[in-house]
Amino acid sequence: MKTMTLRTRMLAIASFFIAGGCFAQENFSWKELINETCFLDTAKFREVRSKDPMISFPMYYGYVHNEEFLIVNIDSWVTSETYEIPTHLTPKDSDKSYKVTGIYGACGNKYPPNVPSYAQWNISPLEKVQELVIPSTVREVLRGAFARFTNLKTLRIPKTVTTIETPMMITSQHLDWNVDSIIVEKGNPVYDSRENCNAIIHTQSNELIAGCKNTTIPSSIEGIGPVAFYRISNLKKVDIPDNVKRIGALAFCNSGLESVTIGSGVKRIPLRCFEDCDKLTDVVFSEGLDSIDALAFFFCENLKSAHIPRSTTYIAKYNSGFTLTKEDTLKLAYLDKFSTPDNHDAFLTCTGMTSFTVEEGNPIYDSRDGCNARIETKTNKLIKGISTSTIPESVKIISAHAFLYGNTPKEIYLPDGLELVEDDAIWNRMDKLRIGPYLKSIHYLAIELADTIYSDSRDAVP
């Protein structure tokens, strides 16, 4: 093989940039380019005015690349109920027109690079708009694209859109998104709304990636994607059919969900799946569920009960050394990668629970003697309790943080069989702490002070 000459190398590099590189790429992806330094170094941020007479402040902000435009923000008050995004926009003080091929929105407190402060998201929602029409020039709908359309009733996705990045409603103001109807135009090669399901389904993977309050889950899908129902406050009841095999992280997080039935096809309830569903009262697990991950029901404060099936062999438990506040977890919700260290109880801060049971025959856990708690059978360790729990005589260990964040009974009896009460096992104040006559010791960090501490047959408290 002959050594490539300097001239040949220069021509090869030039061909890359002209044909497929940063400066003259055909069929490029906004989603990819917006994160590439080579693109951002050469792109200019533009202010663009619309000729739409229904908009009193017709300003659009976004990126230009070649002859195309990516909308990042619409700084306007829209007075009509139907709003159609324009197909072309002309920069201020310019005659050149750019084709609108992408829509992008701020994600939490994260903005695209090089966005000046004056062009960042206006806090005012576009409340007048009830129907949003995306033109056939658009091929990419990126994260947070429709966040300010808080009273949207109908969203129509044309067949030209081949990239959708969810969630489409995240903003720095954490606005809810209560669209009633989602329709993907027939003939779209990547997405569909089969069976009039009022949702966006990724056709090849059979995964529902975005839903609304009127979504019906088709029998043909196999998955529900991450953040598919995120912040949909008017969502009430969901029945996940047996054909669904997987659910993504934060799928129902911050929604108005009141009851959910999880079909037998779901093997795993992922990280923070139902986090902050503060109206959720009823959840039904099916036999076949294998695991419940960390913070799956975090801050579901009105959840009444949980009955763990025989098949469930892993439930995330709280490990000491790291505390996550509600504010922290809300910030984490807007990270690009939905990951949290797996050291948090799946039912953390479910303070309204009155019943917590494990199906008989479960090989890992039990709720012996009607104790309303989760016990690790092999070690006789009480891992998770609630305000109505009792501690069976056969329990040897009470785990750290077993009774945490409002889940402490008013009166607790520590039986004689206990060998260890771990640090911070009981956090909340109690009316009474009763100690068995032969209990050997309690770690001084195991409990908060009780109003009354007493023993059955002795005056001294260990």
Side-chain angles (χ1 to χ4, degrees):
M1 182 181 294
K2 294 182 179 180
T3 304
M4 184 180 289
T5 66
L6 178 60
R7 183 174 181 274
T8 306
R9 291 188 183 189
M10 292 298 293
L11 288 172
I13 293 172
S15 299
F16 166 78
F17 281 106
I18 292 172
C22 302
F23 300 108
Q25 181 180 3
E26 295 181 0
N27 299 320
F28 65 89
S29 167
W30 286 113
K31 182 178 178 181
E32 294 177 3
L33 288 180
I34 203 167
N35 293 315
E36 289 189 8
T37 303
C38 63
F39 171 69
L40 296 175
D41 285 345
T42 58
K44 292 183 179 179
F45 202 80
R46 299 293 180 94
E47 177 186 358
V48 179
R49 293 187 179 275
S50 168
K51 297 179 181 180
D52 188 345
M54 300 304 291
I55 303 177
S56 56
F57 300 101
M59 295 184 186
Y60 291 79
Y61 299 102
Y63 288 115
V64 293
H65 183 65
N66 296 340
E67 303 296 320
E68 300 186 18
F69 189 85
L70 171 68
I71 293 176
V72 173
N73 189 12
I74 305 170
D75 184 9
S76 60
W77 290 98
V78 181
T79 57
S80 59
E81 291 185 354
T82 300
Y83 178 68
E84 184 171 353
I85 294 172
T87 60
H88 291 77
L89 291 169
T90 303
K92 183 180 179 181
D93 302 325
S94 172
D95 294 329
K96 185 172 183 177
S97 179
Y98 290 87
K99 182 170 66 173
V100 176
T101 60
I103 309 168
Y104 185 99
C107 178
N109 293 316
K110 298 169 71 68
Y111 298 92
N114 300 343
V115 177
S117 59
Y118 65 81
Q120 294 181 4
W121 276 88
N122 189 319
I123 62 171
S124 303
L126 303 176
E127 296 177 337
K128 298 285 186 181
V129 180
Q130 295 189 23
E131 181 175 1
L132 182 63
V133 180
I134 303 170
S136 58
T137 57
V138 173
R139 64 173 184 268
E140 295 181 59
V141 173
L142 304 184
R143 190 175 300 182
F146 311 127
R148 289 174 59 205
F149 296 92
T150 54
N151 288 323
L152 199 63
K153 303 301 180 185
T154 304
L155 174 64
R156 301 180 185 275
I157 306 292
K159 60 184 177 182
T160 55
V161 173
T162 55
T163 298
I164 297 176
E165 187 180 24
T166 56
M168 296 180 288
M169 71 297 296
I170 281 183
T171 71
S172 56
Q173 289 77 40
H174 316 314
L175 300 174
D176 292 329
W177 204 61
N178 293 320
V179 64
D180 291 343
S181 175
I182 301 177
I183 303 167
V184 178
E185 184 181 3
K186 290 184 178 180
N188 189 301
V190 180
Y191 305 102
D192 67 82
S193 293
R194 67 191 70 169
E195 303 173 31
N196 297 317
C197 63
N198 275 316
I200 301 173
I201 296 170
H202 186 263
T203 305
Q204 184 176 5
S205 64
N206 281 321
E207 183 170 276
L208 190 154
I209 66 167
C212 66
K213 77 168 185 177
N214 294 320
T215 294
T216 56
I217 302 176
S219 58
S220 57
I221 73 162
E222 297 182 359
I224 297 174
V227 297
F229 292 89
Y230 183 83
R231 293 202 74 90
I232 299 179
S233 64
N234 56 7
L235 188 68
K236 301 298 181 184
K237 186 177 187 294
V238 171
D239 292 323
I240 300 175
D242 293 342
N243 53 279
V244 175
K245 299 177 181 178
R246 60 187 182 275
I247 306 176
L250 292 97
F252 297 91
C253 177
N254 269 111
S255 71
L257 194 63
E258 296 176 359
S259 66
V260 59
T261 299
I262 302 171
S264 60
V266 175
K267 304 302 180 185
R268 172 176 171 250
I269 298 178
L271 176 73
R272 301 163 60 188
C273 185
F274 297 95
E275 175 187 321
D276 229 352
C277 292
D278 55 8
K279 296 180 181 178
L280 182 63
T281 58
D282 299 295
V283 57
V284 177
F285 303 114
S286 297
E287 187 66 27
L289 179 67
D290 179 68
S291 61
I292 305 176
D293 287 358
L295 304 172
F297 294 91
F298 188 37
F299 275 104
C300 293
E301 296 172 342
N302 288 306
L303 184 62
K304 295 178 181 177
S305 62
H307 184 67
I308 308 301
R310 287 191 301 271
S311 58
T312 305
T313 56
Y314 172 78
I315 302 174
K317 64 182 179 179
Y318 196 104
N319 295 329
S320 60
F322 184 66
T323 301
L324 189 67
T325 66
K326 185 174 182 179
E327 289 73 24
D328 289 336
T329 196
L330 289 176
K331 291 176 184 176
L332 285 171
Y334 305 109
L335 294 178
D336 291 331
K337 295 181 180 179
F338 304 119
S339 61
T340 300
D342 190 12
N343 60 352
H344 299 286
D345 181 65
F347 295 91
L348 189 66
T349 68
C350 292
T351 55
M353 291 181 68
T354 57
S355 175
F356 191 26
T357 56
V358 178
E359 183 74 18
E360 289 188 15
N362 187 298
I364 304 298
Y365 307 110
D366 69 80
S367 295
R368 65 191 69 169
D369 303 336
C371 64
N372 261 335
R374 184 171 88 249
I375 298 170
E376 192 175 61
T377 305
K378 185 177 180 180
T379 61
N380 289 313
K381 185 175 186 176
L382 192 151
I383 296 173
K384 172 68 177 177
I386 60 175
S387 60
T388 57
S389 297
T390 57
I391 302 173
E393 292 284 347
S394 56
V395 167
K396 302 296 183 184
I397 304 170
I398 299 179
S399 173
H401 306 100
F403 296 95
L404 183 66
Y405 294 147
N407 281 315
T408 303
K410 293 295 183 182
E411 183 173 351
I412 289 181
Y413 172 63
L414 302 180
D416 296 336
L418 277 177
E419 296 175 356
L420 177 63
V421 181
E422 294 182 345
D423 296 5
D424 296 325
I426 305 167
W427 272 38
N428 301 97
R429 196 170 187 86
M430 299 163 284
D431 292 339
K432 294 181 180 180
L433 176 63
R434 180 173 159 228
I435 299 169
Y438 302 107
L439 182 63
K440 295 180 180 180
S441 65
I442 306 173
H443 194 286
Y444 77 99
L445 291 176
I447 60 171
E448 292 276 350
L449 289 177
D451 291 335
T452 304
I453 302 177
Y454 67 98
S455 176
D456 287 344
S457 60
R458 57 186 173 186
D459 296 328
V461 175

